[in-house]
Amino acid sequence: MSSLPDAKLLPEADSSVLQIWGGHPLRGHIKVSGAKNSALVLMAGALLCSEDCRIRNVPLLADVERMGQVLSALGVSLERNGDILDINARDFSTSKAPYELVTQLRASFFAIGAILARLGVAQMPLPGGCAIGARPVDLHVRGLQAMGAEVQIEHGICNAHVLSSDGRLKGAKIYLDSPSVGATETLMMAATLADGETILDNAAREPEVVDLANFCNSMGAKIQGAGTSTITIQGVRKLHSTDYTVIPDRIEAGTFLVAGAITRSDLLLSPVVPEHLLPVIFKLQEMGVPIVEEAPNSLRILPADTLKAADIETLPHPGFPTDMQAPFMALLAVAEGDSLINETVFENRLRHASELNRLGADIRVKGNIAFVRGVPLLSGAPVLGSDLRAAAALVVAGLAASGKTTIKGLQFLDRGYDRLDLKLQQVGAKIQRLGETGTDAELIENGNNSASVST
Ligand code: EPU
């Protein structure tokens, strides 16, 4: 297995571009990083404990770096060594999170539950809307209120404090109107140190929710039922130190599967948890893509004879993940026949369709539905990623398009994909990160395309 340069996060992400020469099959092994959406929320969960927390398999991402800055601003000490992150929240005493950081990173808002549980008071700027939808926080707020916090939103800040004289939140029975991942995580963290039992009904069932519960339990929390719609938490007074490993990133793995499918490649991915990827694996198989589980923690994708059209409806887990919708749109764009994509989780997450059309796709969008008419071939063009998964979709499309695709918007890509370009280079993709518009051909990172490929 090859190793990736332990590069610092690319500082030029705003102005850099990815240049891809498409049409080359990929071959070899790709190492899947730790899950972004687990790592971020585990970092928030570390606030619950005043002893050392070691988190392993932390991906190298701009979002992780920003979350670290949020924790530092709260008085927490952090030290990163490769993919190991040591966090100690003994001196955590600041209840006000910095506006500039929280507004850049929704996951940082989820820390409100842990801050309130530890300090009895929290001031958290609203994370704001973003490119994929309004993303309100009403479910987080109502849940915290049910647990005995007074919560008021004023001047863009969510001010919360615990009403009881002992400063502890109270266990409560909470029904979530929709199974929000973030609200489930916020409330689970809050309930961990609350007085009494909390029952979260209609809770999110995503693997990252389970990972957070396992992490908290490894510190002595009493959480049962994570991964089902009903999570029961018996509050405890104190948590102890832990050494915990983040689960593999199912969305990163899914993106590589789609990259393999669109380029008709032979790729081996590990580590993965195949159960976390079931909707993605079944959809790819429905499209005619052979996928085999080579070992309990690895998946192999083989070239398809033909790619068949398929319909997709995004749903909360265990349904088809909204985070995979954009990469799949790129794949369906070159499948034989017509496909329909219904995005039901976020109200504005189809903006990549117009950029894919720039590459020669035939996609029409009406409301939250995209009609994809498969075309035989995409052709390279300059395109712009409007959010993290949109940017990933354009990378996937660029790998299959004829000629050169130049992708802007890497500040989004680097939020959630750990050195995506370098990992793709290692399996033979002709992909380079260039400074500015790409015309000056200033190479920021250049992996060795052939020597590092392993099968
Ligand atoms: N919602 C509300 N009120 C709330 C919370 C959510 O109406 O208080 C709505 C949202 O507006 C949305 C739906 O509920 O329409 C689902 O949102 P959810 O809360 O489940 O999403 P999230 O917690 O904000 C996480 C991931 C997203 C992923 C979604 C859905 C993190 C940091 N983010 O967001 O990841 O798409 O769950 O699985 O965990 C990504 O990685 O690209 C990404 C956007």
Side-chain angles (χ1 to χ4, degrees):
M1 192 192 309
S2 56
S3 66
L4 290 165
D6 194 14
K8 61 185 183 319
L9 276 174
L10 299 153
E12 313 289 348
D14 281 18
S15 56
S16 330
V17 297
L18 277 185
Q19 187 171 287
I20 304 176
W21 292 90
H24 302 281
L26 313 175
R27 189 172 173 81
H29 171 258
I30 301 182
K31 183 176 181 302
V32 176
S33 296
K36 166 179 83 89
N37 290 341
S38 272
L40 293 174
V41 79
L42 263 54
M43 289 170 75
L47 290 172
L48 293 165
C49 174
S50 58
E51 298 178 14
D52 291 331
C53 290
R54 173 161 282 189
I55 308 178
R56 296 176 191 267
N57 201 27
V58 176
L60 188 74
L61 302 172
D63 270 8
V64 167
E65 203 163 287
R66 285 197 193 110
M67 189 70 174
Q69 290 165 356
V70 172
L71 297 188
S72 294
L74 297 174
V76 174
S77 76
L78 295 99
E79 198 179 316
R80 184 169 181 142
N81 247 316
D83 68 357
I84 298 179
L85 183 61
D86 288 317
I87 304 181
N88 190 303
R90 186 179 27 243
D91 299 328
F92 154 48
S93 55
T94 307
S95 58
K96 186 172 183 183
Y99 170 84
E100 306 71 35
L101 293 169
V102 175
T103 47
Q104 288 182 50
L105 174 68
R106 184 171 174 86
S108 57
F109 184 84
F110 307 168
I112 191 171
I115 299 175
L116 203 53
R118 265 292 292 281
L119 304 181
V121 55
Q123 291 117 51
M124 189 58 91
L126 292 174
C130 85
I132 60 175
R135 305 184 82 180
V137 291
D138 54 317
L139 300 174
H140 304 243
V141 168
R142 285 212 296 276
L144 293 173
Q145 286 168 335
M147 294 175 72
E150 182 165 303
V151 188
Q152 272 168 356
I153 296 174
E154 277 173 344
H155 309 295
I157 310 274
C158 187
N159 293 299
H161 69 271
V162 176
L163 289 169
S164 72
S165 53
D166 65 356
R168 274 181 98 189
L169 290 162
K170 297 267 170 275
K173 191 159 171 34
I174 299 167
Y175 177 85
L176 295 174
D177 286 346
S178 68
S180 155
V181 174
T184 302
E185 292 169 342
T186 294
L187 300 175
M188 198 158 78
M189 288 188 270
T192 294
L193 295 179
D195 180 13
E197 180 182 86
T198 298
I199 299 177
L200 292 179
D201 257 324
N202 199 26
R205 292 183 279 164
E206 269 67 4
E208 295 76 19
V209 169
V210 179
D211 211 27
L212 175 63
N214 289 340
F215 172 68
C216 291
N217 284 344
S218 76
M219 299 190 288
K222 293 196 171 140
I223 304 173
Q224 283 185 325
T228 74
S229 298
T230 305
I231 302 178
T232 305
I233 306 125
Q234 304 290 345
V236 298
R237 284 202 169 265
K238 204 172 176 314
L239 299 182
H240 55 73
S241 70
T242 188
D243 185 331
Y244 189 85
T245 302
V246 176
I247 54 169
D249 195 312
R250 65 194 165 105
I251 306 300
E252 188 201 19
T255 305
F256 287 129
L257 288 177
V258 173
I262 204 168
T263 52
R264 315 281 167 109
S265 298
D266 180 349
L267 286 179
L268 186 68
L269 303 180
S270 73
V272 292
V273 181
E275 297 100 277
H276 294 172
L277 279 154
L278 284 187
V280 169
I281 293 171
F282 277 109
K283 196 50 73 178
L284 285 169
Q285 288 173 339
E286 183 188 328
M287 292 181 70
V289 182
I291 297 182
V292 282
E293 212 177 307
E294 289 240 321
N297 72 346
S298 69
L299 286 173
R300 183 166 182 193
I301 180 165
L302 295 160
D305 292 334
T306 44
L307 285 172
K308 291 180 272 187
D311 294 341
I312 284 176
E313 180 171 68
T314 65
L315 288 168
H317 193 78
F320 188 90
T322 172
D323 295 341
M324 284 306 302
Q325 177 261 108
F328 259 81
M329 189 185 286
L331 182 61
L332 294 170
V334 293
E336 257 178 34
D338 296 344
S339 307
L340 192 144
I341 298 175
N342 186 4
E343 170 58 59
T344 75
V345 179
F346 291 108
E347 64 272 24
N348 188 20
R349 210 178 197 184
L350 294 172
R351 297 202 310 171
H352 35 280
S354 53
E355 292 303 292
L356 289 170
N357 284 345
R358 219 183 267 282
L359 297 172
D362 182 356
I363 306 168
R364 279 172 305 135
V365 172
K366 207 162 178 18
N368 270 337
I369 295 188
F371 302 91
V372 185
R373 187 162 291 165
V375 297
L377 190 64
L378 299 174
S379 62
V383 283
L384 174 67
S386 52
D387 69 72
L388 165 59
R389 308 302 172 188
L394 296 173
V395 172
V396 165
L399 291 171
S402 67
K404 184 173 83 174
T405 298
T406 309
I407 302 169
K408 278 188 177 177
L410 304 194
Q411 70 275 25
F412 299 115
L413 196 71
D414 293 338
R415 290 185 65 167
Y417 287 92
D418 183 345
R419 293 162 286 179
L420 181 69
D421 42 334
L422 302 183
K423 289 189 183 189
L424 287 170
Q425 274 179 6
Q426 290 191 335
V427 289
K430 308 286 176 243
I431 180 169
Q432 284 185 331
R433 187 179 286 253
L434 307 174
E436 282 300 320
T437 57
T439 49
D440 61 357
E442 174 207 341
L443 197 60
I444 292 176
E445 286 286 357
N446 188 7
N448 181 333
N449 286 357
S450 51
S452 52
V453 174
S454 63
T455 49

